Amino acid sequence: MPTDAVTQTGSPPPTAAPRVALRHLLGLEDLSGDQITGILDLAAQMKAVNARRIKKLPTLRGVTVLTLFVEPSTRTRMSFELAAKRLSADVMSFSAATSSLSKGETLIDTAKNLEAMGPDLIVIRHGAAGAPRLLTQHVGCGVVSGGDGFHEHPTQGLLDAFTLREKLGSLAGRKIAIVGDILHSRVARSNIWGLGKLGADVHVAGPATMLPAGIEDMGCTAHARVEPALEGADAVMMLRVQRERMDGGFFPSAHEFHRFFGLDEERLKLCKPGAPVLHPGPMNRGVEIAPEVADGPQSVILEQVENGVAVRMAVLYLVAATHGLDGRVD
Amino acid sequence: MRPVLKPDGPDRVLVGRNEVPVLLRQMADAITVLAWPRDGVLAPDARPRPWLVGIHRGGVHVARELADVIALSEGWRPLLGSIDVSFYRDDVWLRGPRATDRGTDLPGDPTGQRIVLVDDVLFTGRTTRAALNVLMDFGRPEAVRLCVLIERGGRELPLAADFAGAHADVGPADSVELHYDADGRIGRVGVEARVARA
Amino acid sequence: MLLTAAPTNLPALLIAGARIYDPARGLSDPIDVRVRQGHIAEIGADLPDDGCEVVAAVGQVLCAGFVDLLACAREPGDEHEEDLCSLSDAAAAGGYVAVVVGPDTRPSNDDHAVTELILRRAREYGRCEVLPQGALSHRLQGQQLAPIGEMAEAGAVCFGDADRPVTSARLMRRALEYARSFHRPIFSHPMDPSLGGVMHEGAWSTRLGLRGSPAAAEAIIVARDLMLAQLARAQLHFIRLTTRRSVELVREARRHGVAVTASVTPWHLTYTAEALRTYDPNLKFSQPLRDEADRLALLEGLRDGTIDAVCSDHAPENVADKCVEFDAAEPGAIGLQTVWPVLMDRVRAAELTLEQALHALVEAPRRVLSLPSASVSVGRAASLALLDLDATWRLDAATSRSRSRNTVLWGRELRGRAVLTLLRGRIVHRVLAD
């Protein structure tokens, strides 16, 4: 027998894949580590589809996805819509300036109106924390949060975990630094939950004005300076500083923020060699991140964008399929 | 004439440990002499070398063992591929979403290739339908044949295997299951009561 | 002040077998009480029915009706949410015979004409004594003193700017001083708005992504107002204290002789910020739910007398104002009918004694307002509540008397209920036995 004839993969006898039911995705706080791993595994399959010549699956044919964005975000919306289209779903879009929907009864009224058109799934982005949960109380279809206030941005947390897993393998015991405006960051919160549930050692850092009370109760270590968070980190995630926070209320100036809390090449050397640098975008070059770092070899920022589509395909598939079961899953 | 098998004994064994190699041998022989469009009759060394593409889960194992058998007897080893039909199923809405870490893995662009789809059991035909769609999304094969270890009754789509190792005479409440040895090779084939779909 | 002309045609009742709660004597043994011509006619063992209707009250407690220190009547201005009639009915159904109504109406009660309007409407309906709180500042804007004297003359019992912060220490000082001339307390809602948020700042606000207001936002104003009250030698009442530090500050000020009283809501004795994990806007309050340490400190304060009273903080809101994102929701919940069962839950949890709960609802609010003591004795006007300690019931469309239904307790099973309320001998609320 030729030696190459015996392809002993050592694979165990196949077993039925576990069922992953996901009625809504409102935050990573609600998921277990196993569920997150299941979603990331599924996303890896979806990513393979995105590398094919025909980048489309028939999975969600006949399913309608509504994107309801009550806070502007072109990137997240496009990522969700591309994900839906790659699964053959139909996509409806609704966007409204926060001002015209500042009263929530309008949000519910709007959602009910749009629901009458029969979407199977609503992706909602909203400036008020808890708005996606509110929506689940008033509509029958599946709800996926595309970010709510300062609460959570679960698909961003998933795509960050996915990207880190690709770069680092298992995240168990890995030191991950999240740096910048933690107080106003739903990305930070989703990552603290998500990475924590995957076993990572999460450190957050930023000016003390931007470290929210009791953040360590969520399972991370907080630092009022960035250096101890970066020291020996396996990866670093920089957060966007919103322009409107630069008016002197939380820190004196963009210049001073960059000087003490920005990620430049010198500070990056505190991390392990080659540690990937993440940023949820859009970046303020020269504020939270130096251009040389943003465009440097350790930056995985564009891969995050690519992975975002795959992760959102996985989430849409899971929620739509669970919803399709019409209550038959516990 | 392929054998018609009935489950035997208290364990309801369909294909015993010693019979599995026999069926695989017959299947391998059939694959090497399968007729392909425009070929006519060819000398053994001029015969085409199709890809063996197994359908997850069991088909992948059958394909790998078939490749081993062909490599032994023919002296060439077919290229192997695998297909995951998870995202192409028509019963996602009935069975719910499932996590999958398998994926579709082909040895190259299938366009122009001759491909033998391999599965363990041909039952309703829906998996085969989904697998064909997966294949077509990757390219345009010249021709596709279907080869299964066990063919049973219960077809819901107009599909038939080009070759089956055996026919199983089992009832609609029965499920034909492959059992594997510790090293991952097919040990025997048994019959179990089907688990009701949730 | 609780006495106006007694109506005629009053029923004669024999309330048989209840224990009487009297602030001076505590709880009595089971005894009979006869009510006739609007007054308590007779108290004694085994009284003959004598032609009276007999109310079997074994196992229940009879006391002077509750007095509430803060409810929002929404009249004038928002009668779709509540009016003085529905408020009176809800109060009576909760065991109350008198309710302080806040000045945050439309127009606000910053003028004696509005005070008189409120009193006239309430008297016409006559099912609960309504005690207007006058505004402290013109239009509740915290700039200019409201006509406290004229409103006091018209019947306002206390002054404050509802839940609008009085940011100017100078104005608060002047209000305390000026109200002293009319023997009226100032009601302070202690909150520094520049530290404001939509919930308590802490681990839960961080987790939920909601803007937090730290405990210090309240304690800072408590400390300021205590010093001002001392300076002004005036009567000060803190409505709805919520933090441990506030309780400590009040306790210390009392030791130094400051004439300060304080109240707390049943919500803050029951729930903590963790209850907001579902973003239920019915648990959003202008003084937010705090941490467990704060809740325990409030209970301790109530037990040792630092906190005098429990107030309903009844705040009716339209469904549309609650069926919204948490950030956009109006704070507050209706509460008049649920204060007693919620407080009884604290009693059942051994966090309060029955006497402490009764004192906080019966006697303490009267003292805050300098009303006559709540003794139950022969010759007193029969403004009474008969309380069942364990009766189970639900607040729903059939039982609620409020026009609004913004409470987390809507539809839930409650234990403890006012089964009979008398206002000067008139039956204003009665639960008929099944």
Side-chain angles (χ1 to χ4, degrees), chain C residues 227-242:
Chain C
M227 290 180 201
L228 293 175
Q230 192 169 28
L231 183 67
R233 289 175 290 125
Q235 268 182 283
L236 171 66
H237 177 77
F238 287 115
I239 197 83
R240 299 172 298 208
L241 285 188
T242 66

Side-chain angles (χ1 to χ4, degrees), chain A residues 4-5 7-9 14 16-20 41-42 45-46 52 54 56-59 63 317-318 320-322 324-325, chain B residues 57 61 64 68 71-72 77 87-88 92-103 136-138 180 183-184 198:
Chain A
D4 68 343
T7 51
Q8 258 317 344
T9 58
R19 173 180 283 159
V20 184
D41 290 344
L42 198 55
Q45 304 303 307
M46 298 299 184
R52 287 174 10 188
I54 298 177
K56 200 165 184 96
L57 294 174
T59 320
V63 167
Y317 163 71
L318 287 174
T322 305
L325 288 173
Chain B
R57 303 163 318 191
H61 292 260
R64 196 168 64 224
D68 293 346
L72 266 180
R77 186 178 167 77
F87 304 125
Y88 287 74
V92 166
W93 314 114
L94 301 175
R95 288 151 53 99
R98 274 162 203 278
T100 168
D101 55 358
R102 301 186 295 257
M136 300 307 160
D137 274 1
F138 280 82
Y180 297 88
D183 62 1

Side-chain angles (χ1 to χ4, degrees), chain C residues 181-382:
Chain C
S181 294
F182 301 92
H183 309 290
R184 295 289 192 276
I186 291 293
F187 275 35
S188 166
H189 159 82
M191 173 61 75
D192 183 333
S194 71
L195 291 173
V198 297
M199 69 174 289
H200 173 61
E201 180 178 311
W204 278 100
S205 64
T206 294
R207 190 182 278 210
L208 296 170
L210 293 169
R211 275 179 301 116
S213 173
E218 176 178 304
I220 284 169
I221 302 298
V222 168
R224 182 198 74 175
D225 288 356
L226 285 170
M227 290 180 201
L228 293 175
Q230 192 169 28
L231 183 67
R233 289 175 290 125
Q235 268 182 283
L236 171 66
H237 177 77
F238 287 115
I239 197 83
R240 299 172 298 208
L241 285 188
T242 66
T243 79
R244 178 174 57 178
R245 192 76 189 97
S246 305
V247 178
E248 290 167 1
L249 288 165
V250 169
R251 190 176 285 134
E252 190 199 326
R254 282 262 178 89
R255 269 207 303 276
H256 290 96
V258 180
V260 58
T261 54
S263 59
V264 65
T265 80
W267 308 116
H268 294 90
L269 297 175
T270 306
Y271 296 102
T272 62
E274 184 180 357
L276 295 175
R277 60 188 316 162
T278 58
Y279 296 90
D280 187 341
N282 287 319
L283 289 171
K284 179 179 179 179
F285 299 101
S286 52
Q287 303 279 80
L289 298 173
R290 303 284 183 184
D291 283 340
E292 179 67 3
D294 296 305
R295 189 185 77 87
L296 295 175
L298 295 175
L299 284 160
E300 177 58 33
L302 198 55
R303 285 190 295 261
D304 73 12
T306 305
I307 295 174
D308 303 81
V310 169
C311 72
S312 75
D313 196 18
H314 181 83
E317 295 291 348
N318 199 310
V319 175
D321 293 330
K322 283 290 188 182
C323 186
V324 295
E325 304 90 322
F326 194 86
D327 280 342
E330 290 290 335
I334 58 170
L336 282 166
Q337 287 183 255
T338 54
V339 167
W340 177 245
V342 171
L343 223 47
M344 274 309 297
D345 283 341
R346 295 305 98 214
V347 172
R348 280 184 284 268
E351 292 178 333
L352 292 175
T353 64
L354 181 57
E355 283 89 345
Q356 284 163 344
L358 287 163
H359 177 82
L361 295 171
V362 174
E363 177 67 3
R366 287 174 165 86
R367 286 194 195 160
V368 170
L369 299 172
S370 306
L371 301 178
S373 179
S375 90
V376 178
S377 51
V378 174
R380 298 286 299 246

Side-chain angles (χ1 to χ4, degrees), chain C residues 72-269:
Chain C
C72 292
R74 299 286 182 243
E75 181 181 351
D78 289 292
E79 289 85 352
H80 61 290
E81 293 175 337
E82 198 80 287
D83 62 20
L84 288 160
C85 301
S86 61
L87 180 94
S88 296
D89 286 340
Y96 287 92
V97 294
V99 174
V100 173
V101 295
D104 50 339
T105 46
R106 291 187 303 152
S108 55
N109 183 14
D110 60 358
D111 187 276
H112 69 95
V114 180
T115 309
E116 283 160 7
L117 170 84
I118 291 169
L119 284 168
R120 190 170 62 247
R121 286 275 292 139
R123 280 202 192 99
E124 279 167 14
Y125 194 63
R127 297 176 81 85
C128 183
E129 199 76 37
V130 167
L131 310 171
Q133 177 185 150
L136 181 156
S137 68
H138 178 65
R139 300 212 168 141
L140 310 173
Q141 284 172 345
Q143 303 285 329
Q144 180 192 343
L145 271 188
I148 286 173
E150 282 185 336
M151 285 191 282
E153 193 177 57
V157 296
C158 57
F159 295 90
D161 272 355
D163 57 3
R164 316 295 152 80
V166 179
T167 50
S168 159
R170 182 189 51 80
L171 179 72
M172 181 52 94
R173 175 192 176 176
R174 298 298 178 224
L176 284 161
E177 288 170 342
Y178 194 70
R180 182 158 66 91
S181 294
F182 301 92
H183 309 290
R184 295 289 192 276
I186 291 293
F187 275 35
S188 166
H189 159 82
M191 173 61 75
D192 183 333
S194 71
L195 291 173
V198 297
M199 69 174 289
H200 173 61
E201 180 178 311
W204 278 100
S205 64
T206 294
R207 190 182 278 210
L208 296 170
L210 293 169
R211 275 179 301 116
S213 173
E218 176 178 304
I220 284 169
I221 302 298
V222 168
R224 182 198 74 175
D225 288 356
L226 285 170
M227 290 180 201
L228 293 175
Q230 192 169 28
L231 183 67
R233 289 175 290 125
Q235 268 182 283
L236 171 66
H237 177 77
F238 287 115
I239 197 83
R240 299 172 298 208
L241 285 188
T242 66
T243 79
R244 178 174 57 178
R245 192 76 189 97
S246 305
V247 178
E248 290 167 1
L249 288 165
V250 169
R251 190 176 285 134
E252 190 199 326
R254 282 262 178 89
R255 269 207 303 276
H256 290 96
V258 180
V260 58
T261 54
S263 59
V264 65
T265 80
W267 308 116
H268 294 90
L269 297 175

Side-chain angles (χ1 to χ4, degrees), chain A residues 109-170:
Chain A
D109 285 347
T110 305
K112 284 187 169 170
N113 265 284
L114 295 169
E115 195 195 18
M117 299 182 197
D120 299 275
L121 201 154
I122 296 179
V123 178
I124 178 174
R125 157 72 66 103
H126 199 290
R133 183 181 294 271
L134 179 70
L135 202 58
T136 63
Q137 293 159 2
H138 295 273
V139 300
C141 53
V143 173
V144 172
S145 168
D148 60 325
F150 310 143
H151 176 223
E152 282 220 45
H153 192 351
T155 56
Q156 179 74 41
L158 288 169
L159 78 87
D160 289 335
F162 185 88
T163 306
L164 285 168
R165 207 176 66 153
E166 274 192 337
K167 296 293 163 193
L168 304 176
S170 165

Side-chain angles (χ1 to χ4, degrees), chain A residues 58-142:
Chain A
T59 320
L60 297 189
R61 275 191 310 145
V63 167
T64 304
V65 173
L66 165 66
T67 59
L68 173 54
F69 274 48
V70 190
E71 187 184 71
S73 165
T74 314
R75 294 150 170 259
T76 304
R77 175 203 284 279
M78 284 178 65
S79 182
F80 267 111
E81 294 187 356
L82 186 58
K85 287 172 178 171
R86 289 207 168 149
L87 292 168
S88 303
D90 298 309
V91 179
M92 296 195 288
S93 301
F94 182 93
S95 55
T98 316
S99 55
S100 69
L101 263 185
S102 59
K103 282 286 182 187
E105 77 250 62
T106 325
L107 168 69
I108 297 306
D109 285 347
T110 305
K112 284 187 169 170
N113 265 284
L114 295 169
E115 195 195 18
M117 299 182 197
D120 299 275
L121 201 154
I122 296 179
V123 178
I124 178 174
R125 157 72 66 103
H126 199 290
R133 183 181 294 271
L134 179 70
L135 202 58
T136 63
Q137 293 159 2
H138 295 273
V139 300
C141 53

